[in-house]
Structure formats: structure tokens, C-alpha cells
Amino acid sequence: MSSNLVKGTFILTIGLFLSKALGLLYVIPFYAIVGKESIGLYQYAYIPYNIALAIAISGAPLAISKFVAKYNARGDYATGRKLLKSGMLVMAVTGILSFLTLYFLAEPIAKLVRKDDEQIFTIEEIANVIRWVSYALLAVPLMSIVRGFLQGNQKMMPTSVSQLVEQVVRIIVVLAGAFIVVNFMHGSPKTAVNFAVFAAFIGALAGLAVLFKYWKSYKPEFDHLLANSTSSSDVSFKDMYKEVFAYILPFVLVGVINPLYQFVDMITFNEAMSSIGFAKVTDIYLTMLNFLTHKIVMIPVMVATGFSMALIPVITSYYAKNDQKGITNSLDQTYQIMLYLTVPIVIGLIVLSNEFYQFLYEKDAVGAEILANYAPVAILFGLYTVTAAILQGIDRHKWIVFTSLLGLFFKLVLNIPLIKVFETNGAIIATSIGYTVAVGINIAIITKVLHYRSQMVFRRLILIAILNIIMLIAVVFTLKGLTAISPADGKMHAFLYIMICATVGAAIYGYLSLKTGLAQKLFGERLTRFTKKLGF
């Protein structure tokens, strides 16, 4: 069972990582096709789409899978099938209502976004991209329930493959469509953006097709289990959906909270910036913050949580057995791995912000500065994901809802005043405060419920900090030496500097981690056996 769980977690993590990585890489050619200004129009549709996508690929499937797995464990396979059958109709109706809601709210949302006549985009242009992306909501809810049902039956591959296919198809349509519109049809970049956001719907249809193919192959197995079900499925629809929605809200919040923070920026940033005289550039600055740099900042979050989330089922198991030593060791390892992997990447993004921005997009001092200031927030993003997952594992779902909404409340209240004082950095500070509140309360609850006390983890975190400071010094001097010889004057030049500095940083960090024994203690016996052969 545990091996299946670890395998399933690994499959889902790899699929999500590849999907997110592609989600960053496609922006490079898309940026080149539509240009610096027009890509800002894309992000106004991207955030509502991201909210829908987060629900589809994280919250709803996890909640539905928990429900199905619970009844399957009792031998009651009929209740899971009952949820699937009725849920398909419910999700189809939900999809239509969601589509109509977003479609007809497109103009009111656009009016919230456009606060000054000097802004680049008109209300109609912003409303159009939101309308075009709303079509994706017709397919997204259906994917949620099918993925959840399959995951509840320990079938993880369909979710992973469908996510990847959905992303690949969407990216192909985005890039090919934008290129054809601009270069062959001689349309404007803004027209290309409208076509590009519609690609979300085409990608969702591709994801559904993959899930349907898997369903056909698994159906004989599911039918056999249904025929031998030990229960007559006497759970009423009311009780069934009451239980599902009790699960679904905390799961959805964890998946959707980051896009909701971005949505707060989307509806407040332009108003605040216009009020202090930045109406002409506010669309561009918001794009840099919410789209271009945000995609880079999420890199360390993906890397760290992918490893640390595999430890969450272990913590759940120890909690069920009331094994205090196991709980403490698992929490120690989770926090350490999270920070061990996240902090050095964040430092790299800060030091090499100019080079990263130039390589991925273009040379831009403002964009690079936003990236450098935004990068540290990745640590809070990762800690929120991990602590929320631990709370899920120990059935403290109500606290997840409370801390998530409380953090979002702080973001909403502080965003405009902080932007008026600190401009773009104000939005970053408001996000940091919101996440700090949520993470701080999460950790306090985990500490209290699990009676978590550990002096060792603090010593390890100090050691991680020291190793990162040494690495930071080495990378800064390496970069200064390179730029003294020749400043980066092109994308490949910037990429070369990134690779050289990353190699130096990784080599020093890795060597010191092995020499001090930190890496061996974090990653276990296999690494220890390997390092002994190398003389560490």
C-alpha cells in the first residue's frame, strides 16, 4: 500500500512539474510573437483561467478521490459510481453556469481593471479576452470529477497524462495560432491574444479525451468491482454531496489561493497605481508582477513541494498510530527538505534576476527588480502548501479555510494602501503579509495538535542558512567577475552567465552539504551509501 502511495505521489508530482515547466517555457516564444505590451492583455484572461484550472487540477479531484477511496475501502464501490454518474450531470451544469457567469461578468471585471483613460487597453479589449477564456469552463469541471474518481481508485496516471496533454495541446494552439494571426493573417497582436486564450478550451477538450480513453480501458475492472460491491449504496444524494463539499472547500482553497491573490492584484493594482500617477505603465507593471515574474518565482515552489509532499502521507500514518517520535522526525524532515531546496534557488533568482529576465523575456531593469523583490515570497508559497497539506493529513480542514481566508483578507485590505506607498513592491509586501499570517497560524496549529517540539530542526535550519550565505557570496563574486569582463548583451550571453553561476553555486552548496553530512541526513540511506563511495 505504501509503495503504491509513494508511486502515485511521484506520478502526480512528475505530471504537475512537467505541466508547470511547460507553462513557463511557452511564454518565451509567445512573448516574442505578441510583444511586451500585448502580453499584458493575455494575463487579464490568464488569472480567471488559472482560478478555474487550479480547482480542476488540485482541489476538486483530491476531495472527490478522498470520498471514493473512503467508500471503496469499505467495499462499497456502488457509492463511488453513484457520485460519478450524478456528478457528471452536476459538473456539466456547473460548467455551463460558470461559463455564463464569467462571460457576462467580463465587462464588469474589465471596468474594475481599467481605472484610467491613459491605460494601454480599453474595457472592450479586456472584456473580450475574459470572454474568450470563459469557454474553458465548459470542460474544466467535467475533468475534475473524472480525475477525482480515478484517483480514488488508485489510478494516478490518467490525471498526470491528461494534465500534460492538456498543457501541450494548449501551448501548441497558443503559439501556432498567435504566429499565424500575426505573421500570415497580418492581424494585430491583440487579436492573436484573443485566439491564444481560447486555446485553454481546446486544451481542456484534449484533456477530457485522454480521460475518456483511460475510462474505457478501466471500465471492465470498475464494473467487476461494482458487481461484487458489499454495500447496497444507501447513501442519499444529500448526504453524499454534503460530505463531498465538506472535503472540497479546503482542498479547493489550497489549490486556488495563489490565483486569488493574483486576482486581488488584478482588480486593485491599476486603481492604486493610477492614483499616484502611473496610469501609462500600470498594465505593463501588473503583467511583470502577476504573469512574467510570477511564473519564474513558482519554480522553487514546484521543486521543493514535489519532494516534501511525498512525506505528508507518512505524517498522516504516524498521527493515526499516535507515534510521537515518528511525527517529530517526519515534520523535521519536511521543513528541512522544503527550505533546503527552496532557499538556494530563491537566492539564485535574486542574484541573477537581470540575467533571468533578459534570457526569458528581454533586458528590462524594472522587470528584473520586480523579480528580485518577488523571489523570496516563493519560500512562503512553499511553506503554505506544505503546512496546509499537513493540516489536511490530520483532518484540520476548518483551520485551512480560516487561515487561507484570513491571509487573503489581509492581502485585500493592505494591497491598495501599500501600493500607493511602495508602488509594485507594495503588492509584493501585501502578498508576503497575507501568506505569513496563514503560514504562521498553520504552523502554530500543527505544533499544538501534534505536540511538535524539536531543537534539532532549528540547528539544522541555521546550518542551511550558513551554507546558503557561503553559496551566495561565491555566486555574487562569480557574477561580478563575469560582468567585469563583459556585461551580458544578449539572451545566450545571459543564459551562459546563469549556467556558470548556477554550476558554481550548486557545486559549493552540494559539496558543503555532503561534507557536513546534511544531505545524507535529509535524503536517507541510499545517498549515504553513494557518498561513502565518494569519500564523504
Side-chain angles (χ1 to χ4, degrees):
M1 179 65 183
S2 62
S3 63
N4 286 337
L5 189 59
V6 172
K7 182 181 177 182
T9 303
F10 178 75
I11 289 170
L12 287 174
T13 301
I14 291 296
L16 183 60
F17 179 82
L18 289 173
S19 178
K20 293 288 187 182
L22 288 171
L24 168 65
L25 294 175
Y26 89 92
V27 177
I28 303 172
F30 186 59
Y31 186 95
I33 294 169
V34 301
K36 179 178 180 176
E37 289 189 358
S38 295
I39 203 167
L41 192 59
Y42 184 79
Q43 65 98 19
Y44 286 127
Y46 178 84
I47 292 169
Y49 168 72
N50 243 11
I51 292 172
L53 189 63
I55 294 171
I57 70 173
S58 56
L62 286 171
I64 294 164
S65 70
K66 184 173 181 178
F67 178 90
V68 171
K70 173 184 172 181
Y71 285 92
N72 283 0
R74 299 175 180 177
D76 182 1
Y77 296 95
T79 297
R81 286 293 285 272
K82 183 179 179 181
L83 174 65
L84 179 65
K85 284 185 177 180
S86 63
M88 290 295 286
L89 177 60
V90 170
M91 289 299 184
V93 172
T94 301
I96 294 169
L97 291 176
S98 300
F99 159 69
L100 292 173
T101 300
L102 187 58
Y103 189 91
F104 289 108
L105 283 178
E107 188 168 328
I109 293 172
K111 288 178 180 178
L112 288 175
V113 170
R114 193 175 193 272
K115 292 296 183 179
D116 195 287
D117 291 339
E118 291 187 358
Q119 283 182 238
I120 297 172
F121 308 115
T122 66
I123 289 174
E124 187 59 31
E125 287 170 343
I126 296 169
N128 275 339
V129 291
I130 296 173
R131 291 190 189 106
W132 279 105
V133 83
S134 66
Y135 287 95
L137 298 178
L138 293 169
V140 161
L142 289 172
M143 286 195 292
S144 297
I145 193 164
V146 177
R147 284 170 173 166
F149 180 82
L150 293 172
Q151 285 174 220
N153 283 278
Q154 301 298 313
K155 309 296 184 185
M156 306 299 179
M157 189 66 76
T159 295
S160 187
V161 174
S162 66
Q163 285 176 0
L164 194 57
V165 169
E166 178 189 2
Q167 186 74 295
V168 168
V169 170
R170 183 175 75 89
I171 289 169
I172 290 172
V173 175
V174 166
L175 297 179
F179 185 80
I180 290 169
V181 168
V182 172
N183 293 282
F184 290 95
M185 298 174 65
H186 304 293
S188 71
K190 292 177 182 177
T191 303
V193 169
N194 285 331
F195 188 85
V197 298
F198 183 71
F201 175 58
I202 299 173
L205 291 178
L208 269 176
V210 171
L211 291 172
F212 178 71
K213 184 177 180 181
Y214 273 105
W215 168 256
K216 285 183 67 177
S217 65
Y218 290 135
K219 191 174 184 298
E221 177 187 339
F222 294 150
D223 288 343
H224 176 73
L225 292 172
L226 180 63
N228 294 280
S229 181
T230 57
S231 172
S232 59
S233 186
D234 56 355
V235 181
S236 68
F237 284 107
K238 179 182 176 182
D239 291 338
M240 182 168 64
Y241 281 99
K242 183 178 179 181
E243 185 175 348
V244 169
F245 281 107
Y247 293 151
I248 209 169
L249 185 57
F251 280 121
V252 166
L253 268 175
V254 173
V256 84
I257 197 70
N258 196 273
L260 285 177
Y261 272 72
Q262 290 183 290
F263 186 74
V264 170
D265 282 329
M266 179 175 159
I267 62 175
T268 61
F269 187 86
N270 291 334
E271 179 182 0
M273 290 290 281
S274 296
S275 70
I276 56 174
F278 287 94
K280 288 184 178 180
V281 293
T282 183
D283 292 302
I284 293 174
Y285 285 7
L286 180 60
T287 304
M288 290 174 173
L289 172 68
N290 252 5
F291 185 64
L292 299 175
T293 62
H294 183 81
K295 281 188 168 291
I296 306 172
V297 168
M298 293 306 290
I299 295 172
V301 181
M302 288 188 292
V303 173
T305 54
F307 282 92
S308 57
M309 291 297 283
L311 298 170
I312 304 306
V314 179
I315 293 171
T316 306
S317 175
Y318 285 134
Y319 178 68
K321 297 173 186 174
N322 200 25
D323 183 346
Q324 189 58 50
K325 184 179 179 182
I327 289 170
T328 300
N329 290 339
S330 296
L331 286 175
D332 284 349
Q333 195 174 11
T334 299
Y335 290 140
Q336 289 174 77
I337 290 177
M338 164 74 220
L339 293 170
Y340 177 84
L341 294 170
T342 304
V343 174
I345 303 176
V346 167
I347 288 173
L349 291 177
I350 294 170
V351 175
L352 296 162
S353 58
N354 282 293
E355 286 70 26
F356 268 107
Y357 204 90
Q358 182 175 353
F359 168 64
L360 293 173
Y361 310 122
E362 64 182 3
K363 191 168 185 176
D364 192 304
V366 175
E369 182 185 353
I370 292 172
L371 174 58
N373 293 331
Y374 197 10
V377 187
I379 298 171
L380 291 171
F381 291 159
L383 282 172
Y384 169 80
T385 304
V386 171
T387 55
I390 295 171
L391 289 176
Q392 287 170 338
I394 60 176
D395 292 323
R396 292 301 188 275
H397 301 294
K398 290 180 181 178
W399 278 109
I400 298 172
V401 176
F402 173 74
T403 60
S404 300
L405 294 179
L406 183 63
L408 188 63
F409 173 76
F410 272 90
K411 167 70 174 175
L412 187 59
V413 170
L414 295 173
N415 214 46
I416 290 177
L418 286 173
I419 291 170
K420 288 182 178 180
V421 177
F422 301 105
E423 300 169 18
T424 307
N425 288 335
I428 297 172
I429 294 168
T431 297
S432 301
I433 292 172
Y435 269 93
T436 299
V437 169
V439 169
I441 298 175
N442 285 355
I443 291 174
I445 296 163
I446 291 165
T447 302
K448 183 177 180 180
V449 173
L450 298 179
H451 308 291
Y452 176 61
R453 300 286 185 276
S454 178
Q455 293 298 321
M456 182 270 291
V457 73
F458 290 108
R459 294 195 297 270
R460 290 273 182 83
L461 294 181
I462 291 171
L463 177 58
I464 290 172
I466 292 170
L467 298 188
N468 275 283
I469 290 170
I470 295 170
M471 183 200 71
L472 169 64
I473 294 169
V475 171
V476 167
F477 276 100
T478 302
L479 182 61
K480 284 186 177 295
L482 291 170
T483 53
I485 297 169
S486 173
D489 58 1
K491 285 183 178 291
M492 295 314 297
H493 205 164
F495 179 68
L496 177 63
Y497 284 6
I498 290 170
M499 293 305 298
I500 292 172
C501 291
T503 302
V504 170
I508 292 173
Y509 193 61
Y511 175 81
L512 292 175
S513 298
L514 293 171
K515 197 67 178 176
T516 58
L518 176 63
Q520 295 91 318
K521 289 169 184 172
L522 290 182
F523 298 105
E525 295 179 1
R526 289 186 179 180
L527 182 61
T528 303
R529 290 197 298 268
F530 177 73
T531 52
K532 281 181 178 178
K533 295 177 182 179
L534 299 176
F536 287 100

